[in-house]
Amino acid sequence: MAEIKTVAVLGYESCSEQDTITPLEIFKGTAMVLAHQIAPWPLEAEPRDLDVKFVSLDPGNVVMQMGTQVVPDAVLEDGQLFDILYVPGGVGSGKMTQDGRILDAIRHHHVNGKVIAGNCSGIGILSRSGILGDTPVTCVAAVARGLRAEGTNVPSPRRMWLHDAAKKIWTTTGSYGVNGSTVALVAEYFGKEVGTIVSMMFDTYGGIGEQIFDQAGPEFYLHPELEEKFTDFFEPMLLPGRGGQA
């Protein structure tokens, strides 16, 4: 497996604070472990750098869905490549499913063999980019029905995360699952020792245990009536034009 040297977490107008900042913090914590800035014991591997950036589509602060403003490290440039491109969810994700810049960036990373990761309603953006094919993915309940209607393979029951190692696609449910899934992603792509340390840093090991080293996360419970009501409310916002009703 190629060494991961760069990670970009994408921010956009009305992305979710939890969906975006949680993976960003975990990746930055991973960079500290790889550099031996955090080393609870002598680490096996030599210190190395991991460049983690919060990138935006446009210049200026990213205003998230609850009003938090975050200064991006950089604006995503045409043709730019990162070893991991992470696309979060949020109420602004519906608009992003129709934004050619982000769809082109996802496709560009995918055809160049980079890891594509996403969570929550951000999986709708990945789906609309056309890279998923029949890859089994997970997502937040509110977009699962719409994505299935569009032909996306969302197995039931949903898992906290699903990983297709061959296609380098990593998907995650909603905000509750983002911590566990991102730590599992770290364990997969940076090795068990780094994954163990990061899982202890963010208290994930105590909650999920050895499953952080698996390709699929814990099963989520089904709540059909509640999920239907929330889907009816959110789907037009999160999957406009096709899966949604807008």
Side-chain angles (χ1 to χ4, degrees), residues 74-91:
V75 175
L76 185 64
E77 299 175 0
D78 288 343
Q80 192 171 14
L81 286 171
F82 295 89
D83 295 323
I84 297 176
L85 178 66
Y86 195 102
V87 182
V91 298

Side-chain angles (χ1 to χ4, degrees), residues 53-221:
K53 282 187 167 61
F54 176 53
V55 301
S56 62
L57 294 173
D58 301 296
N61 292 355
V62 174
V63 182
M64 299 186 174
Q65 66 182 19
M66 298 300 178
T68 305
Q69 296 192 39
V70 181
V71 181
D73 298 306
V75 175
L76 185 64
E77 299 175 0
D78 288 343
Q80 192 171 14
L81 286 171
F82 295 89
D83 295 323
I84 297 176
L85 178 66
Y86 195 102
V87 182
V91 298
S93 63
K95 182 178 179 181
M96 290 299 102
T97 67
Q98 301 174 331
D99 191 313
R101 296 172 299 171
I102 188 170
L103 301 179
D104 286 345
I106 292 168
R107 287 189 284 260
H108 181 58
H109 278 77
H110 183 62
V111 299
N112 281 280
K114 305 303 182 181
V115 179
I116 307 294
N119 66 42
C120 196
S121 58
I123 309 308
I125 306 173
L126 302 190
S127 179
R128 294 279 177 89
S129 76
I131 70 165
L132 296 182
D134 60 357
T135 303
V137 299
T138 191
C139 59
V140 71
V143 299
R145 182 184 70 188
L147 288 178
R148 289 173 181 136
E150 293 184 12
T152 304
N153 182 5
V154 184
S156 182
R158 292 174 299 120
R159 296 285 192 139
M160 186 179 286
W161 66 83
L162 282 176
H163 179 219
D164 188 312
K167 296 182 180 178
K168 298 184 180 179
I169 293 173
W170 189 288
T171 56
T172 304
T173 50
S175 296
Y176 171 78
V178 174
N179 175 299
S181 175
T182 308
V183 169
L185 187 157
V186 166
E188 171 69 19
Y189 283 100
F190 297 96
K192 188 165 186 177
E193 182 176 50
V194 173
T196 299
I197 295 171
V198 171
S199 74
M200 290 300 295
M201 286 168 57
F202 292 96
D203 212 15
T204 315
Y205 216 152
I208 298 178
E210 291 293 313
Q211 198 158 3
I212 61 168
F213 304 113
D214 293 347
Q215 301 294 301
E219 289 186 357
F220 269 34
Y221 291 105

